[in-house]
Amino acid sequence: MEESQARKFIFGPINSRRLGKSLGVDLVTAKTCSLDCIYCEAKATTNLTMSRREYVPVDRVTAELDAVLKNIPAPDYITFSGAGEPTLNSGIGRVIDHIKKYHSACPVCLLTNGLLLGDATLQKELSQLDLIIPSLDASSEEEYSYINRPCPGETLEKLFSGLCSFRRNVPVKMALEIFVVPGINDSDESIDRFYRLVKDIDPDLIHLNTLDRHGVIAELAPASRERLEKFASVLGNIAPAEIFGPTREPHVPHK
C-alpha cells in the first residue's frame, strides 16, 4: 500500500496539546463506543456496546501504519483514538506488538474511556503501552449517568474498580483525564469526591479538560478558568495537574 492512497485507519500526524506530533490509529467503526458522552466531539454514539471484536481488520491497520510511517518523520506518539473506544477492538494487543517490533522508536499512547481496563486479558494486551490516558468524568453515579450515558449495567463503581485494578497490575504511565462540565460535575462537593477517587487511583498525571468544540448537546458550555483552577489546586496535591487548553504550568503536588 502506498501512503498516498486514501487512509482508512491512520490519521495525522496532528499537533496535540498533550502529545506533540501525534499519529492517530482508529480501531473501530464510527461511532462504536461503550459510552455516549454528552460532550463528545465525534457526535452521538450509534453502536453502544461493551462487546470486543475485530471491528476493523488488524492486518489492514498495521499495513497502513507501515506505509504511513515510511513517508513521514517519526511522530512523538502513535495514539489509539478516533471515533470510538479503541479497546473494543479485540486486536489492539496485536497492533501494539507490531509497533513495538517494527517501529520501536515511536512511543505508544492510548486514549480510552476506561470501561474495560479491569479485564485481565486486556491488561496483558496493553502492558507495552508507554502512556495511557483514561477518563474519569464523574464523581457520583448521578453525574456518570448524565455525562457519560454508559451501556446498560455499567456504573461508576465498576469504572473506578477497573481503573484501580489496571493501575495496580500494569506498570504503564497514567495521565487521568477529567472532563469538567459546568453545573454538573464542578461543584465543591464534586471536587471533594473526585479527590477521594483520584487519590485511590493514584495516577502519574492529571489532565483537566473542558469543552473546546460543540458536543452532542448543543447548549453545553466550557468550564470557567476559575473552576478549572480550583480542580487543579485540589487534585494537584495528588499528582501534577494540568489544564487544557490554555497553557499553564503543572501544579506540583505537596509531598
Side-chain angles (χ1 to χ4, degrees):
M1 177 193 139
E2 294 298 327
E3 199 277 323
S4 58
Q5 289 178 244
R7 299 184 194 175
K8 293 187 177 179
F9 313 110
I10 311 301
F11 57 96
I14 61 171
N15 292 315
S16 167
R17 293 174 295 176
R18 296 182 283 187
L19 301 173
K21 292 281 186 185
S22 172
L23 185 67
V25 181
D26 196 348
L27 289 180
V28 294
T29 51
K31 172 78 177 37
T32 298
C33 197
S34 41
L35 299 178
D36 184 20
C37 300
I38 61 174
Y39 61 77
C40 187
E41 295 169 359
K43 303 309 177 188
T45 295
T46 53
N47 183 21
L48 186 66
T49 182
M50 286 285 287
S51 297
R52 297 193 72 205
R53 63 180 179 83
E54 201 167 318
Y55 288 89
V56 300
V58 164
D59 290 346
R60 291 180 60 193
V61 172
T62 55
E64 186 173 312
L65 183 62
D66 292 343
V68 171
L69 286 170
K70 264 197 230 175
N71 293 284
I72 64 169
D76 295 313
Y77 277 96
I78 296 173
T79 306
F80 295 104
S81 57
E85 172 51 43
T87 62
L88 287 171
N89 192 312
S90 56
I92 188 171
R94 288 159 50 205
V95 182
I96 296 171
D97 290 345
H98 181 89
I99 295 169
K100 290 299 179 181
K101 183 174 181 179
Y102 296 104
H103 308 288
S104 59
C106 299
V108 184
C109 175
L110 167 65
L111 305 183
T112 175
N113 62 30
L115 266 68
L116 290 163
L117 291 185
D119 180 82
T121 298
L122 180 62
Q123 289 181 2
K124 291 178 184 176
E125 293 170 6
L126 302 182
S127 62
Q128 293 191 84
L129 288 173
D130 296 284
L131 175 64
I132 186 168
I133 306 179
S135 295
L136 179 70
D137 301 327
S139 68
S140 69
E141 295 291 352
E142 183 180 13
E143 291 174 3
Y144 187 58
S145 177
Y146 184 88
I147 295 171
N148 297 123
R149 302 190 296 190
C151 274
E154 295 304 308
T155 64
L156 177 63
E157 183 179 2
K158 287 173 66 176
L159 170 62
F160 172 70
S161 176
L163 287 168
C164 290
S165 171
F166 187 91
R167 186 67 172 146
R168 285 193 307 269
N169 297 329
V170 188
V172 169
K173 184 177 180 180
M174 177 184 285
L176 186 68
E177 179 172 18
I178 297 173
F179 195 97
V180 182
V181 183
I184 307 300
N185 67 350
D186 67 339
S187 68
D188 287 346
E189 293 77 14
S190 292
I191 293 173
D192 288 343
R193 290 193 296 265
F194 271 117
Y195 180 87
R196 293 192 292 272
L197 294 172
V198 174
K199 187 171 174 53
D200 283 347
I201 297 167
D202 192 28
D204 297 290
L205 302 167
I206 298 163
H207 289 174
L208 298 168
N209 211 342
T210 193
L211 197 70
D212 187 35
R213 295 182 286 274
H214 290 302
V216 175
I217 296 181
E219 61 270 22
L220 286 181
S224 70
R225 182 72 182 191
E226 178 185 6
R227 292 316 288 168
L228 292 170
E229 291 283 3
K230 174 70 180 219
F231 269 88
S233 68
V234 173
L235 300 183
N237 291 298
I238 301 169
E242 188 168 359
I243 293 170
F244 297 92
T247 303
R248 73 185 296 276
E249 292 300 315
H251 188 91
V252 179
H254 304 298
K255 294 295 185 183

